[in-house]
Amino acid sequence: MPDTLADDVRAPIESAIAELRKGSAAWSALTVGQRVTLLRGVRRTVAANARAWARAAVRSKQLSDDHPLRGEEWLSGPYATLGALDAYIETLDRIAHGRNPLDGLTVDRTASGQTRVHAFPLEGIDKLLLSGFTGEVWLTPGVTPGDARARAGLAQRSPAATDGGVGLVLGAGNITSIPVLDVLYELLAHDRVVLLKVNPTQDALVPVFEKALAPLIAPGFLRIVRGAGDVGAFLTAHDAFAHVHITGSAPTFDAIVWGPSTGQGSAQTKRRKRESRPLLKKPITAELGGVSPIIVVPGEWSDEDLRFQAEHVATMRLQNGGHNCIAGQVVLLSRDWAQKDQFLIELRRAYALAPERPIWYPRSDERMTQAAEAYPDALVLTDRLLVEIGEGDDPTALEQTEYFAPVLGVEQLHGTGQAFLDAAVAHANEKLQGTLGANVLIDPATEASLGAGFERAITALHYGSIAINTWTAFGFITPTVTWGAFPGNTLSDVGSGLGVVHNALLLADVERSVVRGPFRPFPRSASIVRDGGRFTILPKPPWFASSRTAAEVSEGLTRFRAQGGVLALVRTLVQAMRA
C-alpha cells in the first residue's frame, strides 16, 4: 500500500516509534514489583484526571454538562479504567511475591466439564455494592484446573525472558476506556510497549489521556498519535510493530489484513484472500462487534418484573446512543408466552421514554435510514427505531447488520420452557451475525424448573460473553473476566474478532465469560430468595437509561473507586436508593 503521508505527519510518528523501541528495552528490564509501582502511579494520575476525562467525553458526544445520561461517561471511562488498574495491580503484586494469580480463587468445573474460574466478586466492597452479581471465566475444553493455575500470569510469569517489542493499538471511537484498556492488555498480557492511534472521534480526549497516562509516556512505554485512515494504513504496514490490535469493524479489519475491497486494488485483494495470502504479515487480534441477542425466557412475571426488564432491554440498546459493539439488537420472545403482549407494551413504553440524545457517531444516521428503508413499518421515534418482525417479514437485515445505532428489533419464536430456550439459542447461534455477546433474561422459578437443561443451553450458546439477568456490558466493565469473540474465527472469516482483552487475571486458554445478576433489584430482591434467586442491595442500576440519579451515582462510584471515603460512599448509596 503506497505511503501518502506528508512529511510533517510522518516525522513525529517515526520519532514516536524510535522512542518506543528504546522504551521496549527499558520495559523488559523492569521487575514485576517495579511494574506494580508503575501501575500505582498510573492509578494516581487517572484518578486525578477522572473529572476532566468524564467532562471531555460528555462534550465529545454532544451532551450538555447537565444531561441525565452524562453518568455513562463516568462509568465507561475513568471508572472502568480504575477498576482494571486495581485488578492488574493485585495480579502483578501476587506474582511479585511468589504467589499465583489464582491463589484463593475458586477454580472448578462447569456442568459440561470445562474448567471455570470464579473471577468476580473478589473484593469485599464489590461483594457488598454489587451483591447478586457474579462473573466466571470458562476455559477451552480439555484445559484442567492445574493447567489454568500453571499458565495464569501470561507474560508476567517471566517478563525478562524476552523483549516483546512494540505493539500497535488502533483505538475504538465509541467508548473512552477501550483504547486505554487495550493499551494495558498489550503491555501486561503480551509484554509489549505500545503506540496508540486514537480514533478521530476521540481526539478531544488525547490531552486527558496524556495526563492520565503520563507515568507510561515519560519512560517511553506509550506514545499516542492522532490521524485518520491514512495514518492507520501507514502504521499497520510499518515494520516496527510486532503485533496489531484493533477495536472496530470487520470491513476495517479486512482492509488491514487483505487490502481495499473497492476501487483500485480490489481485484488483488480478492485474489489474496482466495489464496490465503494476507497483506498483513504480523499477528493481529481484534474486537469487532456483532448483532447481540436478548433472549427473554417466558415465565410468570409480576407487573414490576415486566416493567423493570423492559427498561433493562431498552438500556441494552440505547446506552451511548446505541453506538456500542455490545448493544443488544434482537430481542427473542416466545410467541406462546402468556405475558408476551404485556411485555411488548412495557418495552415500547420504556424504549420511547428513555432520554433523548444526539446520534453522534459518524455515519450512524445512514444506518438508521438503512434500517427504516428495510422496515418501513418500524416505530420511528425522534432518535430511535423499534422494529417488530411480523409474520411474513424478512428478518435478514436485522439479523445480519450491526446497525451501531439506536435500532432495536423483536422476533418471536414458538415454544415455552426448555423448547423455547433451545430454539432461541439455536437461532442466536445460526441466524445472528457475530459471537461477541448474548443476554438471557429468566426468572428464578423458571430457571429452577429447567434444572440442568438451563446449563446445557448456556453451554450451547456460543458467544464470548454471556450475561444472565444482567447486560453483557457488565462483563465489559468487570476487569477480571474476559472480553472478546467466541473462539474459532479466522483471518478470512473474522466474525466478531480474534483473541480477548481485559482479563486482568491474565488467564490463558479462554473460551468465554459468563456474568450473572439479580432478576429483581432491591428492595424486591429481598423476596426473591425464596425462589432460589439472588439477593442484592442494588436498586435500579446506575447504567439503566431510566435511572433518575444515574449521573450522581456514577460520578460518586467513580470518586469512591478513586479516593475511597465512607461518607462519600454513603451519600452515593442514598442517591442510588432514589434511582
Side-chain angles (χ1 to χ4, degrees):
M1 188 174 296
D3 173 11
T4 60
L5 291 187
D7 289 343
D8 62 339
V9 176
R10 184 191 302 104
I13 293 175
E14 292 287 9
S15 177
I17 292 172
E19 291 161 355
L20 286 167
R21 281 173 160 156
K22 294 179 181 178
S24 178
W27 172 257
S28 64
L30 292 181
T31 66
V32 177
Q34 289 170 326
R35 294 176 182 193
V36 170
T37 300
L38 177 66
L39 291 178
R40 286 177 175 148
V42 177
R43 190 192 190 285
R44 286 192 294 271
T45 50
V46 169
N49 288 278
R51 180 173 176 78
W53 183 330
R55 286 173 66 88
V58 165
R59 292 170 180 174
S60 74
K61 297 180 180 182
Q62 303 173 25
L63 300 178
S64 63
D65 289 342
D66 61 351
H67 195 282
L69 298 179
R70 68 189 184 279
E72 294 177 358
E73 301 311 316
W74 284 92
L75 288 182
S76 64
Y79 180 88
T81 303
L82 288 165
L85 286 165
D86 286 340
Y88 280 126
I89 288 168
E90 174 64 21
T91 293
L92 267 65
D93 191 58
R94 289 181 175 213
I95 294 171
H97 287 89
R99 300 171 60 203
N100 190 284
L102 299 185
D103 283 354
L105 277 67
T106 300
V107 181
D108 60 9
R109 301 271 191 174
T110 68
S112 62
Q114 289 175 246
T115 294
R116 167 177 59 186
V117 178
H118 293 260
F120 182 88
L122 302 180
E123 299 178 3
I125 192 65
D126 288 332
K127 293 176 183 178
L128 172 65
L129 295 181
L130 293 168
S131 53
F133 289 83
T134 59
E136 308 162 358
V137 181
W138 295 16
L139 305 184
T140 52
V143 175
T144 68
D147 296 334
R149 291 188 174 91
R151 297 193 62 190
L154 297 180
Q156 299 309 305
R157 295 172 63 236
S158 53
T162 59
D163 181 342
V166 183
L168 171 64
V169 169
L170 301 177
N174 59 328
I175 296 294
T176 61
S177 64
I178 293 178
V180 179
L181 297 178
D182 291 349
V183 163
L184 292 174
Y185 198 66
E186 193 78 3
L187 273 170
L188 300 172
H190 301 298
D191 227 20
R192 285 187 280 263
V193 298
V194 184
L195 189 139
L196 166 64
K197 190 199 86 67
V198 297
N199 188 291
T201 63
Q202 296 205 7
D203 279 352
L205 274 294
V206 171
V208 178
F209 290 161
E210 290 174 339
K211 292 179 181 177
L213 304 177
L216 297 177
I217 294 172
F221 303 153
L222 172 66
R223 289 293 181 268
I224 303 173
V225 300
R226 297 176 172 92
D230 57 343
V231 173
F234 171 77
L235 291 171
T236 55
H238 204 291
D239 61 5
F241 300 106
H243 177 258
V244 176
H245 178 78
I246 176 176
T247 298
S249 67
T252 301
F253 177 93
D254 284 345
I256 291 170
V257 174
W258 303 104
S261 60
T262 59
Q264 188 175 7
S266 60
Q268 293 92 324
T269 296
K270 292 177 181 177
R271 185 177 303 113
R272 276 192 296 269
K273 197 168 185 178
R274 186 170 60 249
E275 297 172 357
S276 297
R277 293 185 296 106
L279 190 66
L280 185 75
K281 303 302 182 184
K282 54 184 70 79
I284 184 170
T285 53
E287 191 267 272
L288 306 174
V291 175
S292 294
I294 307 168
I295 298 172
V296 180
V297 183
E300 293 184 15
W301 294 10
S302 68
D303 291 344
E304 292 87 354
D305 294 338
L306 292 164
R307 186 171 304 112
F308 178 79
Q309 296 298 348
E311 293 176 5
H312 198 176
V313 170
T315 296
M316 294 181 195
R317 179 71 264 184
L318 295 177
Q319 199 272 353
N320 196 34
H323 311 314
N324 288 335
C325 56
I326 200 56
Q329 182 165 306
V330 177
V331 180
L332 297 178
L333 278 183
S334 167
R335 188 182 303 279
D336 305 314
W337 185 23
Q339 294 178 294
K340 175 200 67 179
D341 292 337
Q342 291 173 268
F343 180 78
L344 284 173
I345 289 170
E346 292 293 348
L347 178 58
R348 294 173 195 131
R349 176 182 177 276
Y351 199 67
L353 293 182
E356 293 182 12
R357 61 177 299 157
I359 298 172
W360 64 272
Y361 201 82
R363 303 190 66 180
S364 288
D365 54 345
E366 297 176 19
R367 288 187 284 272
M368 291 278 286
T369 300
Q370 180 183 353
E373 291 174 349
Y375 299 103
D377 294 332
L379 175 62
V380 181
L381 302 168
T382 304
D383 62 342
R384 63 202 67 164
L385 268 68
L386 180 61
V387 178
E388 297 185 37
I389 300 295
E391 293 282 358
D393 291 342
D394 184 358
T396 304
L398 179 69
E399 295 172 340
Q400 291 295 308
T401 307
E402 183 191 5
Y403 286 113
F404 213 71
V407 178
L408 179 67
V410 179
E411 290 192 69
Q412 298 183 28
L413 307 176
H414 287 291
T416 58
Q418 192 71 50
F420 167 80
L421 180 57
D422 291 344
V425 166
H427 191 95
N429 286 343
E430 298 165 10
K431 300 292 187 180
L432 305 189
Q433 187 271 322
T435 61
L436 184 60
N439 310 274
V440 180
L441 302 178
I442 182 168
D443 68 273
T446 300
E447 181 178 345
S449 72
L450 297 180
F454 181 74
E455 294 302 323
R456 285 197 301 270
I458 295 302
T459 302
L461 190 55
H462 286 176
Y463 283 77
S465 182
I466 297 173
I468 302 166
N469 290 334
T470 184
W471 177 26
T472 42
F474 182 79
F476 170 89
I477 209 169
T478 301
T480 47
V481 300
T482 58
W483 189 251
F486 194 82
N489 296 324
T490 64
L491 288 179
S492 58
D493 185 12
V494 70
S496 289
L498 304 166
V500 299
V501 289
H502 304 184
N503 188 24
L505 294 173
L506 298 177
L507 299 169
D509 307 308
V510 170
E511 183 192 65
R512 72 179 88 181
S513 286
V514 179
V515 293
R516 301 173 188 249
F519 182 71
R520 297 183 185 122
F522 184 83
R524 292 192 299 116
S525 62
S527 64
I528 203 170
V529 179
R530 295 194 304 268
D531 304 327
R534 293 170 171 234
F535 174 77
T536 183
I537 69 164
L538 192 69
K540 184 178 292 184
W543 54 85
F544 268 44
S546 55
S547 172
R548 293 181 296 179
T549 58
E552 294 81 5
V553 173
S554 299
E555 180 176 351
L557 289 174
T558 306
R559 292 191 183 283
F560 176 74
R561 171 65 76 175
Q563 303 165 0
V566 174
L567 289 178
L569 178 60
V570 170
R571 286 195 293 268
T572 298
L573 291 177
V574 170
Q575 291 283 1
M577 295 301 171
R578 298 176 50 243

